[in-house]
Amino acid sequence: MALRRDTICALASGPPPSAISVLRVSGPHVADIIAARCSLQTLKPRHATLVDLLDEKGTLIDSGLAVFMPGPASYTGEDTLEISLHGGRVITELALRSIMSAGARLAEPGEFTRRAFEAGKLDLTRAEAVADLIDAESEAQHQQALKQMDGALERLYAGWRDDLTTCLALLEASIDFPDEEDAPDRVDAPVRETLLRIDQALKDALVQGNITERIRDGFKIAILGKPNAGKSTLLNQISKREAAIVTDIPGTTRDVVEVRLTIGGYLVWLSDTAGLRETTDIVEAEGVRRAMKAADEADLRLWVYDAREDFDMSVVQPGDIVVANKSDLVAPKDVSRETLTIVAKTGEGVANLEADIISHISKMTQNLSAPMITRARHRQGIERALEYVSAARDHLKLQSGSEFVAEDVRQASRELGMLTGHIDPDTVLGAVFSSFCIGK
Ligand SMILES: Nc1nc2c(ncn2[C@@H]2O[C@H](COP(=O)(O)OP(=O)(O)O)[C@@H](O)[C@H]2O)c(=O)[nH]1
Ligand SMILES: [Mg+2]
C-alpha cells in the first residue's frame, strides 16, 4: 500500500454559516501545524483545549476548542487535529487557508476514511457503513448502517472466506500428495459439504439482499389503475405536494412520475403511472408501456379504482393493495367493507392506506436475519463468488481434478476478499470512497 506522506485538511461539518465549524487535519505534519498556527506550541493529547488559531502572519482568526489525537490511536491512524471554531464563512475560509499554508492540502472526498481503511482501522464494508450512516434518510437505513458499522457484514464474508481457505488447504494437499489412496474420500467429501453450505449461504444472502438493498435505496411502490381513477391525486396527497398533474381528462399522466419520501421509517419511491387502457395515442401508449414496466419492477403495487365502478380483481397479485377511491361520490351504504376506501382529493382514509403500506413493507423485512448485503457492489461480488462456487462443485462432481476445483475456490475467495477490501484493486477503492463527502 502506498505510503502517504502528506497531510490533509477539510471542513468536517456542514457548510457555513453554522454555530460551529469543525476542521479536521490528519497526517504527519499535524504537530508542526499546531506549533505554527495555534497559540499553544503543543496540545495535550485527547484533551479539549481552548486555543487561538492564527494566520501565517500571526493575526488572530478565531478561538476554538482543539483536540489533538496522536496516531495510531485516531480515526485515520495518523496524528489528527480537530478544531471547533465559530461557523462563519470567513473564519472557515481563513482557517483552512492558514492550515494549508502551514503544510496541508485539501482532502478529497472520503479521504479520511480511506486512510482509516489503509491503516487497517476498518474494512471496506465498515467504511461503506460510515457513508451510509451519514446518508441515511430513514430509521431503517440508519439501523442497517449501524449493524454494518459493527462489522456484521465483515464477519459474514470472513466466515465464508475461512471455509473456502479450509477447502483450498485440503485440495492443495491432495494435489501435492496425489498418490495417497484415500485422498478422494478424505478431501472430496468435506470439500463437497463445505461448498454446498457456502452455495446455500450465498444464495440466501442474495435473496435477503433484495430487501436490504431496498431498505438502503428505497422500496418501489407503483400506483396503478384505469385513467381518471385518482392515481395522481393520491400521489400528491401522500407526498404532500403537487408532484403530478391532476385533471379530469383521462390520459393526463403519460410518463411515470416518481417521488421519494419516507413512510413509517422506510424510504420509498412512489410512482404515479399512466392509466392502463387501450389507446391509439402513441404518447399515451408509451406511457402505458412504462406503467406496466413500473408495475413489474415494483416491490408493492397499489391498485386504485373509482368506487362507482367495478374493479377487475384478476390483475391483482398476492401482496398487492387495492383501494377504492372517490368514496365521497358513493352512498355510504354502497361503500365496500372489504376493500380500503379513500377520498384521495381530501385525504380521507389515506392514513389507513399508509398504515397498510407500512405493514406490507414490515412483512417484507421481518424475516431478515442480520447481517445483510446492502449495495449493488456486494450483490455483484456475491453473484460472481456463487458462480465460482458452482463451477467448483461441478468440477468436483465430474472429478475433473483438484487443480480445477482449487482454482475456482480461489477465485470465489478472491471475490469475497474484494468486498471487504482485503484484496483491493485500486479501482474498487476509488469507486467506494469517491461517493463520500469531503471531510469524512
Ligand atoms: N370526488 C372526487 N374526485 C376525485 C377524487 N380523487 C380524484 N378526483 C378527481 O378525479 C379526476 C382524475 O384525477 P387524477 O388524479 O388525475 O386521476 P388519474 O388519471 O388516475 O391520475 C380529477 O378531476 C380529480 O380531481 C376523490 O377522491 N373524490
Ligand atoms: Mg394521472
Side-chain angles (χ1 to χ4, degrees):
M1 221 158 279
L3 253 185
R4 289 172 186 271
R5 296 237 159 266
D6 56 353
T7 298
I8 53 173
C9 66
L11 172 66
S13 52
S18 58
I20 287 171
S21 272
V22 179
L23 302 191
R24 204 175 201 190
V25 194
S26 176
H29 305 307
V30 165
D32 302 338
I33 292 172
I34 292 170
R37 297 289 185 260
C38 293
S39 49
L40 295 170
Q41 282 296 299
T42 55
L43 296 177
K44 191 173 169 196
R46 274 173 285 282
H47 275 252
T49 314
L50 187 64
V51 296
D52 290 342
L53 184 72
L54 313 170
D55 71 8
E56 48 206 291
K57 296 194 197 97
T59 313
L60 176 69
I61 297 172
D62 192 16
S63 309
L65 273 188
V67 181
F68 172 52
M69 285 156 286
S74 67
Y75 181 69
T76 58
E78 305 173 319
D79 285 358
T80 303
L81 171 71
E82 279 182 19
I83 180 161
S84 307
L85 303 167
H86 296 100
R89 282 201 189 87
V90 177
I91 292 174
T92 308
E93 176 65 36
L94 292 179
L96 277 175
R97 217 187 285 163
S98 161
I99 290 168
M100 286 196 284
S101 68
R105 67 164 168 83
L106 266 189
E108 288 162 22
E111 201 171 2
F112 289 90
T113 305
R114 182 163 181 159
R115 288 187 175 196
F117 166 76
E118 288 177 354
K121 296 272 169 185
L122 32 72
D123 79 318
L124 263 196
T125 66
R126 290 184 202 234
E128 285 171 327
V130 171
D132 286 353
L133 260 185
I134 293 170
D135 294 338
E137 289 172 70
S138 73
E139 286 167 45
Q141 288 174 315
H142 171 240
Q143 280 303 321
Q144 191 161 278
L146 277 181
K147 276 186 207 151
Q148 189 169 326
M149 182 87 171
D150 188 40
L153 215 46
E154 181 186 17
R155 286 189 290 275
L156 179 72
Y157 295 160
W160 292 338
R161 286 193 86 202
D162 284 349
D163 288 348
L164 290 172
T165 306
T166 310
C167 288
L168 213 49
L170 285 168
L171 289 163
E172 270 160 10
S174 83
I175 296 168
D176 292 342
F177 308 103
D179 297 333
E180 288 189 24
E181 277 172 17
D182 59 345
D185 298 336
R186 233 172 2 92
V187 171
D188 287 9
V191 170
R192 190 180 311 118
E193 248 168 58
T194 309
L195 289 181
L196 173 66
R197 192 160 37 79
I198 297 179
D199 182 273
Q200 199 51 53
L202 294 177
K203 282 179 184 153
D204 287 350
L206 286 173
V207 171
Q208 299 209 348
N210 280 336
I211 298 297
T212 38
E213 263 183 77
R214 287 287 171 270
I215 291 180
R216 181 175 181 273
D217 300 334
F219 287 86
K220 290 185 189 157
I221 304 179
I223 306 179
L224 303 159
K226 285 192 189 162
N228 250 6
K231 301 178 294 299
S232 299
T233 309
L234 178 61
L235 175 96
N236 292 346
Q237 189 63 250
I238 294 180
S239 65
K240 298 181 183 69
R241 59 194 168 95
E242 302 294 311
I245 301 171
V246 170
T247 73
D248 53 6
I249 307 162
T252 300
T253 307
R254 278 141 177 250
D255 215 340
V256 177
V257 178
E258 273 191 318
V259 273
R260 178 188 163 92
L261 64 150
T262 57
I263 300 185
Y266 296 103
L267 178 68
V268 304
W269 289 93
L270 189 62
S271 59
D272 177 28
T273 61
L276 302 173
R277 66 165 172 183
E278 295 284 335
T279 172
T280 49
D281 181 311
I282 328 173
V283 181
E284 192 187 348
E286 175 59 19
V288 171
R289 196 189 66 76
R290 290 180 188 198
M292 308 289 261
K293 183 158 171 278
D296 266 355
E297 291 171 354
D299 302 300
L300 180 57
R301 278 169 294 272
L302 270 188
W303 292 97
V304 181
Y305 70 98
D306 187 324
R308 294 168 296 181
E309 297 169 10
D310 286 331
F311 179 68
D312 173 14
M313 286 300 268
S314 68
V315 294
V316 178
Q317 297 171 28
D320 291 0
I321 295 178
V322 180
V323 273
N325 185 33
K326 307 193 186 182
S327 58
D328 55 321
L329 301 179
V330 189
K333 67 172 176 53
D334 294 332
V335 170
S336 160
R337 298 237 170 269
E338 283 100 72
T339 40
L340 215 59
T341 55
I342 58 168
V343 183
K345 212 169 168 172
T346 61
E348 202 183 312
V350 171
N352 289 339
L353 171 61
E354 287 185 14
D356 217 27
I357 292 174
I358 295 166
S359 95
H360 271 69
I361 297 180
S362 303
K363 243 182 242 153
M364 291 184 223
T365 61
Q366 73 186 1
N367 292 323
L368 291 181
S369 51
M372 270 340 104
I373 53 176
T374 50
R375 289 173 185 242
R377 185 179 85 83
H378 293 243
R379 181 167 33 76
Q380 289 154 4
I382 291 179
E383 277 167 359
R384 283 193 298 265
L386 184 59
E387 277 173 31
Y388 285 119
V389 170
S390 310
R393 294 179 64 213
D394 288 345
H395 281 310
L396 207 59
K397 217 177 286 163
L398 299 171
Q399 303 200 314
S400 350
S402 297
E403 294 87 342
F404 293 102
V405 186
E407 180 52 24
D408 284 324
V409 169
R410 203 174 291 122
Q411 292 294 345
S413 173
R414 191 184 136 77
E415 291 296 343
L416 297 175
M418 289 206 283
L419 294 181
T420 51
H422 289 103
I423 294 168
D424 46 17
D426 242 19
T427 46
V428 175
L429 298 186
V432 168
F433 289 105
S434 62
S435 66
F436 274 63
C437 46
I438 291 180
K440 191 64 227 174

